[in-house]
């Protein structure tokens, strides 16, 4: 880094504008030397003080994406701003303002009927979307993400929205990274799942000095990081802003209604011109008689009740969906969903309860020497006892006493799950005979490649047949395998984890054993 750049880095952060700080031509916080990042953000490993946080919060804003607050009155009027409503509004004006003369009162019945239909359509749509919007706000408030942050030299649990650039945060297995940052310390092998942001299929290994992005998920290890960007200045925030600037797409239902409205509008205008010419220029109708005929044309030329019928129908659909705990943020989206032929959805926690249980009756054995309890015991050996993922937690808690998961053995080495080789491994000493064994748990065919003893064609076929059978039963094929060994492995058992679903989804766990 040049001396000129270094002079800029040591400047006063309070004198920099937000635009200057995130101008990569001036300060590239993602590639800058770690010491320079700390200097520029004027922070220390002990974290910021509460006073400094208040100043930065005022300058940088909250760590969340900006939302547009819609004026309720304008939102209500928006339901009256479409071609069909324009024709109805024109008919209402004709009925109350122009349909008079010859000592006759304006056409109040038609005026009142049209206005009531307009109001009914607008009120139904407005109330449904307003209620849905309030429900979403309440849900988002209840699900506000939290994070570990060091403030005034102490670790605290705060809402992610309170983070500011320069904060020191702690992240661990399963955490969602709350803001863009640079790793200060990496405890063990740290891997981050960035698929939602970059499309990478596998978690990415991170070391001290590497950048982590808001919205990514920690898959392995623990780390401390300094926050370099929050809110709309994060990688995710910039992408979301571009999407927001693109404008709202018009739904299929709105497009169809607009086409119908435009057709009616153009047709009615054409016939109105013809009627005016014929009535007044050719037959010299009196004013009131001609206006009454034009009003009939206006009202009869449009499907006047169609918007109201659609609003009522969609409102009923929204109410029925709400009974099944579905929040409809825009009632026209119901019609969009009705046209969906293929729906892709994340399974865990969406279609399931995000919880695993061991289904002991479905354990498959490939040797008569061990039973299901032995399988669970060996599986527990190859599982973490702290900072557990869902599978480790499920297996350990399937023991009669989870606190005795290491009884009878001395742990010599434990290797956490590696997404590249897709397995965990423990080396332990059996206290009863003093022998050293090794157990590994991971993807079935990754483990099968390790096996050499008693790995016959019949055993391989049996394993593949079991996998295919569960696949036919719509069992998720994220297969996990347990292997116990000295140096030579052989196929032992298949253990199934059930994910309680609405009603059921199953996750397979294959088990191998060696002597």
């Amino acid at each position: 880094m040049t001396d000129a750049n270094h002079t800029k880095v040591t400047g006063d952060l309070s004198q920099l504008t937000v635009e200057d700080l995130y101008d990569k031509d001036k300060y590239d916080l993602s590639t800058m030397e770690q010491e320079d990042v700390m200097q520029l953000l004027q922070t220390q490993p002990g974290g910021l003080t509460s006073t400094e946080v208040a100043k930065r919060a005022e300058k940088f804003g909250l760590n969340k994406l900006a939302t547009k607050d819609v004026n309720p009155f304008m939102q209500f009027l928006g339901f009256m701003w479409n071609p069909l409503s324009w024709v109805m509004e024109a008919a209402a004006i004709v009925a109350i303002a122009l349909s008079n003369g010859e000592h006759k009162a304006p056409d109040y019945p038609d005026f009142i009927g049209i206005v009531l239909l307009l109001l009914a359509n607008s009120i139904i749509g407005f109330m449904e979307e307003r209620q849905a919007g309030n429900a979403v706000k309440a849900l988002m408030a209840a699900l506000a993400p939290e994070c570990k942050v060091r403030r005034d030299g102490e670790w605290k649990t705060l809402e992610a929205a309170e983070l500011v650039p320069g904060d020191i945060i702690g992240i661990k297995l399963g955490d969602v990274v709350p803001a863009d940052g640079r790793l200060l310390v990496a405890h063990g092998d740290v891997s981050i799942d960035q698929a939602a942001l970059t499309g990478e299929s596998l978690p990415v290994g991170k070391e001290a000095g590497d950048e982590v992005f808001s919205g990514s998920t920690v898959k392995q290890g623990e780390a401390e990081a300094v926050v370099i960007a929050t809110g709309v200045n994060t990688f995710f925030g910039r992408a979301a802003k571009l999407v927001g600037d693109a404008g709202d797409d018009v739904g299929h239902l709105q497009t169809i209604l607009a086409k119908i409205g435009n057709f009616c509008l153009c047709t009615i205008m054409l016939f109105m011109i013809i009627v005016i010419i014929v009535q007044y220029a050719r037959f010299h109708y009196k004013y009131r008689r001609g206006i009454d005929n034009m009003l009939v044309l206006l009202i009869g030329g449009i499907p006047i009740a169609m918007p109201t019928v659609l609003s009522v129908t969609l409102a009923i659909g929204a109410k029925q969906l709400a009974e099944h705990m579905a929040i409809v943020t825009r009632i026209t989206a119901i019609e969009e969903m009705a046209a969906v032929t293929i729906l892709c959805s994340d399974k865990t926690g969406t279609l399931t309860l995000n919880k695993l249980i061991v289904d002991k009756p479905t354990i498959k054995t490939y040797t008569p020497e061990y039973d299901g309890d032995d399988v669970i015991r060996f599986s527990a050996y190859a599982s973490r006892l702290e900072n557990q993922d869902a599978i480790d937690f499920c297996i350990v808690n399937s023991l009669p006493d989870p606190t005795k998961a290491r009884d009878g053995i001395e742990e010599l080495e434990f290797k956490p799950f590696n997404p590249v080789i897709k397995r965990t491994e423990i080396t332990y000493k059996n206290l009863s005979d003093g022998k050293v064994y090794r157990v590994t748990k991971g993807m079935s065919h990754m483990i099968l490649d390790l096996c050499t003893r008693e790995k016959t064609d019949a055993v391989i076929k049996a394993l593949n047949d079991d996998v295919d059978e569960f696949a036919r039963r719509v069992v998720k094929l994220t297969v996990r395998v347990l292997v116990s060994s000295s140096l030579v492995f052989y196929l032992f058992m298949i253990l199934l984890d059930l994910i309680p679903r609405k009603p059921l989804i199953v996750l397979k766990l294959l088990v191998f054993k060696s002597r």
Side-chain angles (χ1 to χ4, degrees), residues 91 94-95 98-102 104 107 110 271-299:
V94 170
L98 301 179
S99 185
N100 51 40
E102 300 180 11
K104 295 181 181 180
D107 195 342
D110 284 343
F271 276 96
M272 288 285 288
I273 294 173
I274 295 174
V275 167
I276 291 173
I277 294 174
V278 171
Q279 288 189 142
Y280 295 112
R282 176 68 178 84
F283 293 100
H284 306 288
Y285 275 27
K286 291 183 178 181
Y287 172 77
R288 179 59 186 264
R289 181 182 178 187
I291 287 292
D292 288 344
N293 291 338
M294 292 169 61
L295 184 59
V296 170
L297 179 61
L298 277 173
I299 298 175

Side-chain angles (χ1 to χ4, degrees), residues 128 310-324 326 328 331 334:
E128 285 296 327
L310 285 173
S311 294
V312 172
T313 303
L314 294 175
I316 293 173
K319 184 173 183 291
Q320 291 176 342
L321 288 172
E323 293 174 355
H324 295 279
V328 181
I331 62 172
I334 297 175

Side-chain angles (χ1 to χ4, degrees), residues 152-450:
D152 299 315
E154 297 180 356
W155 284 106
K156 302 178 181 179
T157 300
L158 302 173
E159 288 189 9
E162 299 180 28
L163 290 179
V164 296
D167 264 328
I168 305 300
I169 57 173
I171 54 177
K172 58 180 175 54
L173 177 69
D175 286 351
V176 176
V177 180
D180 285 3
R182 294 279 297 275
L183 293 188
L184 298 176
V185 181
H187 301 291
D189 296 329
V190 177
S191 62
I192 307 287
D193 183 359
Q194 303 177 161
L197 304 176
T198 64
E200 296 169 278
S201 60
L202 294 176
V204 179
K206 298 288 184 179
E207 299 176 350
D210 289 343
E211 184 178 15
V212 291
F213 299 109
S214 172
S216 55
T217 306
V218 181
K219 290 296 184 181
Q220 182 180 357
E222 299 180 9
E224 295 177 17
V226 56
V227 174
I228 62 174
T230 58
V232 295
N233 297 307
T234 62
F235 180 88
F236 180 80
R238 293 194 297 271
K241 186 175 185 297
L242 290 175
V243 174
D245 291 343
D248 295 331
D249 292 331
V250 178
H252 178 258
L253 183 60
Q254 290 97 324
T255 302
I256 296 299
L257 290 177
K259 289 181 178 179
I260 295 174
N262 289 331
F263 176 79
C264 293
L265 189 61
C266 294
T267 304
I268 290 171
M269 289 179 64
L270 176 62
F271 276 96
M272 288 285 288
I273 294 173
I274 295 174
V275 167
I276 291 173
I277 294 174
V278 171
Q279 288 189 142
Y280 295 112
R282 176 68 178 84
F283 293 100
H284 306 288
Y285 275 27
K286 291 183 178 181
Y287 172 77
R288 179 59 186 264
R289 181 182 178 187
I291 287 292
D292 288 344
N293 291 338
M294 292 169 61
L295 184 59
V296 170
L297 179 61
L298 277 173
I299 298 175
I302 59 172
I304 195 167
M306 186 176 70
T308 304
V309 172
L310 285 173
S311 294
V312 172
T313 303
L314 294 175
I316 293 173
K319 184 173 183 291
Q320 291 176 342
L321 288 172
E323 293 174 355
H324 295 279
M325 306 302 292
I327 298 175
V328 181
T329 58
R330 190 179 295 272
I331 62 172
T332 53
I334 297 175
E335 191 275 341
E336 300 283 344
M337 284 298 296
V340 170
T341 55
I342 299 176
L343 175 64
C344 300
S345 174
D346 174 28
K347 177 190 68 61
T348 304
T350 304
L351 303 179
T352 68
L353 300 179
N354 196 20
K355 178 184 178 181
L356 292 172
I357 60 171
V358 172
D359 186 26
K360 295 181 180 180
T362 57
I363 292 177
K364 303 289 184 179
T365 60
Y366 299 92
T367 175
E369 299 179 24
Y370 300 95
D371 58 17
D373 291 335
D374 294 321
V375 176
I376 296 175
R377 177 167 54 87
F378 284 118
S379 301
Y381 288 169
S383 301
R384 277 185 176 275
L385 299 185
E386 66 285 327
N387 290 330
Q388 297 171 321
D389 61 19
I391 293 178
D392 288 349
F393 180 84
C394 163
I395 292 173
V396 172
N397 282 274
S398 296
L399 295 170
D401 186 354
T403 61
K404 298 181 179 180
R406 291 290 189 270
D407 276 10
I409 68 169
E410 177 187 347
E411 180 181 326
L412 301 179
E413 181 184 12
F414 186 88
K415 296 180 180 179
F417 180 75
N418 188 326
V420 177
I421 61 174
K422 296 180 174 60
R423 60 188 179 92
T424 65
E425 184 178 297
I426 183 175
T427 302
Y428 68 91
K429 179 189 291 186
N430 193 329
L431 299 180
S432 62
D433 57 16
K435 294 183 178 180
V436 175
Y437 295 89
R438 190 173 58 198
V439 175
T440 183
K441 160 169 68 71
M443 182 72 73
S444 59
H445 290 85
M446 298 291 288
I447 301 300
L448 187 60
D449 292 339
L450 298 175

Side-chain angles (χ1 to χ4, degrees), residues 68-77 126 130:
K68 297 179 181 178
D69 292 329
V70 181
N71 185 299
F73 182 68
M74 298 304 297
Q75 184 182 9
F76 176 77
L77 292 182
F126 172 77
R130 198 71 182 169

